[in-house]
Amino acid sequence: MIVAAAPDPEKAWDSSSSYATIDKRILTPENVEQSLDAAESALRDYVSMLHDGLRPAFRSYFAGDAEGAARHLLVLGEQHEGVGRARGAEQCYKAALMMSLPLADKSLQVLALRRMGRVALALAHLPEATSYYERSAELARDSGDVRAEVAARTGVGNVRMYQGRWPDAERIYREALDLAQTVDSSDATLELGQLYNNLGSATTRTGELDEAEQWLERALAVWEEVKSPIDQGVCLMNLGHLRENQERLAETQEAYEAALALPVPTSFKSLAAADLADIYLKEGFVTRAEEMARVAEEHAIAASSPYSLAYMYRNRGNLARARGHEDGFTFYEKALEIARAKGYPSLEADTLADYAELRRVTGGVEEAEAYLERARDIFAQLGASQNAARVQRSLDALRSGIEVSVAAAGD
């Protein structure tokens, strides 16, 4: 029901309900009936999906077909993921893993571990995600399944990206690409395209923009032939990040709008909408930016994705700052709370740099300086030298009294 909730006036900070975060929302009498109807419909759909998925799994299990039972549970887990039920998917994958352990053929075990890694990543359980992906990669290597090993190692790289460890992620992706190229490329197009996507993102973040351009051109060519909306969406988002770094804002907006229009999960739509809101803001379209930020918020709430929520709240803080509304600090505080709790240091650093600008313009120069110092140190620890240098320039300007924006560039 949280999707239909409204801000709670008793919990809104400074009596400003415009700046209520998800934990300060309530259900109002006007939307309770609608929420109950929606919940009832969703529950019926879920029960139907659960029964339809469990019946064949149980039939296989009681017939002594552990492999069949595991396959059915994996399919059911993917269905759970498709409707945003990550914890339900996790239960299915764990059961499938248990079923697959005694099997001589390790392919199902490899897949179950990889799926558990994906769910753990979605739930922001980053150490667990790494462990699952690494176990899957090792088992795939021992089994001689190169494509499965490539997929698992790509998953490890994805965790590093969420952690903001971009040089590590780039290295892992390159190793996975070298491995993928040892098999027939016609059988590994999807895997290659995903690696091109990821290398384009990693090299953008490390400032290797010319190389990023080449990776994303290769990725776009793959998605013209292979129909995978989520991978195409990732490519477009990465292209938008690259164009933004190149200060080609019109093309950035075009890429984000195209990504948002694809049939992709709600967590992805939230990120795309937040990035689009950021571009509208940079182009001076504040009202359009606020409208898109509300879209990002609704998608983030529906997805229950910690990263999407933190990313969206950082964006809302920037919008509030642009309006000159000091109460927008609540968004920055919430983004920092999530980023720290879930282990997203890069997002924490970006939020601190953005928050510093709000503190500077409201007279909190010492606090702004402390935020920038912490953001710089985080980026330095992550090996993000370009970002660390950018924040240092902002810090130097702040200390010298030069009035410049210290906000981090959106990424």
Side-chain angles (χ1 to χ4, degrees):
M1 289 189 180
I2 192 64
V3 176
D8 182 354
E10 294 184 1
K11 291 186 178 180
W13 297 29
D14 292 345
S15 302
S16 176
S17 60
S18 297
Y19 300 104
T21 51
I22 187 172
D23 51 349
K24 298 177 180 65
R25 289 183 164 217
I26 60 172
L27 284 171
T28 63
E30 291 75 14
N31 56 34
V32 166
E33 288 295 331
Q34 180 182 358
S35 300
L36 288 173
D37 289 342
E40 182 180 5
S41 177
L43 182 60
R44 285 201 197 98
D45 291 343
Y46 174 67
V47 170
S48 177
M49 179 186 73
L50 192 63
H51 286 185
D52 290 345
L54 285 176
R55 282 194 183 99
F58 278 124
R59 289 193 193 105
S60 295
Y61 174 76
F62 287 116
D65 180 9
E67 179 180 349
R71 290 188 185 281
H72 288 305
L73 286 168
L74 287 169
V75 171
L76 182 58
E78 291 172 352
Q79 291 174 341
H80 275 80
E81 281 192 275
V83 296
R85 293 181 176 271
R87 296 195 182 278
E90 182 181 40
Q91 292 176 333
C92 292
Y93 295 147
K94 283 183 176 179
L97 178 62
M98 293 301 296
M99 289 285 180
S100 67
L101 290 176
L103 300 175
D105 182 354
K106 297 303 178 183
S107 60
L108 288 180
Q109 186 178 340
V110 168
L111 179 57
L113 285 167
R114 201 164 72 238
R115 290 289 178 266
M116 288 173 68
R118 189 168 70 185
V119 170
L121 181 58
L123 293 172
H125 300 159
L126 304 187
E128 292 89 339
T130 298
S131 178
Y132 288 135
Y133 279 130
E134 288 180 342
R135 286 168 58 193
S136 179
E138 291 169 4
L139 194 58
R141 182 192 60 212
D142 293 342
S143 303
D145 190 339
V146 176
R147 292 185 65 179
E149 185 181 355
V150 168
R153 296 200 181 283
T154 301
V156 177
N158 294 344
V159 178
R160 296 292 184 271
M161 287 293 288
Y162 269 86
Q163 292 173 320
R165 297 166 58 180
W166 303 319
D168 281 351
E170 182 182 349
R171 173 183 56 78
I172 293 168
Y173 290 145
R174 287 183 184 277
E175 291 173 352
L177 180 60
D178 289 342
L179 186 62
Q181 290 173 334
T182 65
V183 300
D184 185 353
S185 62
S186 64
D187 293 330
T189 303
L190 179 66
E191 291 86 353
L192 288 174
Q194 291 169 341
L195 285 166
Y196 298 156
N197 277 354
N198 297 344
L199 281 164
S201 177
T203 49
T204 295
R205 292 173 186 273
T206 56
E208 304 164 86
L209 302 188
D210 290 341
E211 188 170 356
E213 186 87 45
Q214 294 174 16
W215 288 122
L216 293 177
E217 284 179 0
R218 295 170 75 175
L220 287 168
V222 171
W223 308 129
E224 286 181 0
E225 298 183 10
V226 179
K227 301 306 177 185
S228 177
I230 182 62
D231 291 311
Q232 182 183 3
V234 169
C235 185
L236 289 167
M237 287 285 285
N238 292 343
L239 181 62
H241 296 160
L242 174 62
R243 294 290 180 255
E244 189 170 356
N245 275 271
Q246 295 168 330
E247 299 183 355
R248 296 158 63 176
L249 295 189
E251 293 173 69
T252 303
Q253 177 183 327
E254 181 181 345
Y256 291 156
E257 288 176 340
L260 187 60
L262 291 170
V264 292
T266 53
S267 59
F268 186 91
K269 282 186 176 292
S270 176
L271 298 176
D275 278 342
L276 188 53
D278 185 60
I279 291 303
Y280 286 154
L281 180 61
K282 289 181 177 180
E283 292 178 319
F285 304 127
V286 180
T287 300
R288 291 173 66 186
E290 289 177 333
E291 292 171 353
M292 191 53 60
R294 284 191 285 273
V295 172
E297 182 175 28
E298 295 309 314
H299 282 307
I301 292 171
S304 297
S305 164
Y307 187 88
S308 297
L309 285 167
Y311 196 90
M312 174 272 298
Y313 281 132
R314 172 195 163 212
N315 175 264
R316 293 291 301 274
N318 290 344
L319 287 169
R321 190 188 69 226
R323 285 291 197 187
H325 297 166
E326 295 182 22
D327 290 347
F329 80 93
T330 58
F331 292 134
Y332 289 133
E333 292 287 351
K334 193 63 182 178
L336 288 173
E337 176 188 331
I338 297 171
R340 289 165 176 164
K342 298 300 183 181
Y344 303 132
S346 174
L347 185 54
E348 178 187 352
D350 276 334
T351 304
L352 285 167
D354 290 343
Y355 199 176
E357 174 67 0
L358 177 64
R359 287 308 187 205
R360 183 190 70 81
V361 299
T362 56
V365 175
E366 291 184 0
E367 195 172 8
E369 185 175 348
Y371 288 169
L372 286 172
E373 288 175 345
R374 178 58 183 153
R376 177 202 60 199
D377 292 346
I378 291 174
F379 281 132
Q381 291 165 7
L382 295 172
S385 56
Q386 186 179 45
N387 283 14
R390 170 175 48 78
V391 175
Q392 183 62 54
R393 289 193 296 271
S394 298
L395 186 57
D396 293 342
L398 179 68
R399 287 169 173 167
S400 65
I402 299 173
E403 187 172 333
V404 296
S405 173
V406 298
D411 63 1

